[in-house]
Amino acid sequence: MSEQADPLDTRPTRIVYVAEATAHGGREGYVTSHDGRIDLRVAAPPALGGDGLGTNPEQLFAAGYSACFHNALVIVGRRAGLDLSGSTVAAKVGIGPNNARGYGLAVALSVSLPLVDQDLAARLVSAAHQVCPYSNATRDNIDVSILLS
C-alpha cells in the first residue's frame, strides 16, 4: 500500500538550501553568517533593558518574515498572471512574557497591494500565507495577524 502525502504537512520534502548563523554573547554580542554576509552587533532594545545600539533578534525575524512573505505574495500573484509592482510587506514582531514562565512572540504583517482591488488582494494574501515558509513555521505557534492597507 502506498502512502499518500498529507496536504496539511508543511515540512519540506527535501532541503534545497541551508542558512547558517552563529550568535556570540546572546542579546549583548554579535551574530555572523557562515558566508560573512551578516556580521552584526546585537543589543537588547531599551524596552528590554539594553542600550539598543545594535540590531536584535526581533528585528532580524521581522526582516526575514517580511521578505519571505512578500516573495510568497509575488509568486502567488505571478501564478495568477498579476503584476504586483509597488507592493510591500512590513512586519512588526513583538516579544513579551508568556504563561509558561518564558517569552513568546507575536507578528503583525501589513500588506500593501496598490494595484489590486481589496477582494482579490485578500485572496492573494490568504494564498501567500499558505505558501510562505515563515507562515508555515509559525502557524498555530504564535499569533500572526495580517492587515491589508
Side-chain angles (χ1 to χ4, degrees):
M1 177 161 75
S2 67
E3 288 187 36
Q4 290 202 342
D6 178 357
L8 300 178
D9 186 355
T10 59
R11 294 175 294 182
T13 57
R14 66 185 174 91
I15 301 297
V16 295
Y17 170 74
V18 174
E20 296 179 47
T22 302
H24 311 264
R27 285 185 178 272
E28 297 298 333
Y30 62 99
V31 293
T32 59
S33 63
H34 80 289
D35 62 2
R37 296 204 182 268
I38 296 175
D39 187 353
L40 299 170
R41 178 167 189 250
V42 179
L48 295 177
D51 63 17
L53 297 178
T55 192
N56 60 66
E58 292 72 36
Q59 288 175 326
L60 296 170
F61 189 76
Y65 201 162
S66 62
C68 190
F69 194 91
H70 192 245
N71 194 67
L73 192 62
V74 169
I75 288 169
V76 167
R78 188 179 312 126
R79 288 176 184 166
L82 299 170
D83 176 11
L84 299 185
S85 295
S87 63
T88 61
V89 176
K92 293 180 182 179
V93 174
I95 184 172
N98 63 22
N99 290 325
R101 300 184 71 192
Y103 289 85
L105 299 174
V107 174
L109 299 175
S110 179
V111 179
S112 174
L113 292 165
L115 303 179
V116 179
D117 73 69
Q118 285 294 101
D119 289 339
L120 178 55
R123 290 194 304 273
L124 292 171
V125 165
S126 179
H129 196 41
Q130 299 306 309
V131 170
C132 176
Y134 276 64
S135 292
N136 287 329
T138 59
R139 187 170 289 111
D140 299 324
N141 295 312
I142 66 174
D143 289 335
V144 176
S145 62
I146 304 174
L147 172 70
L148 268 170
S149 55

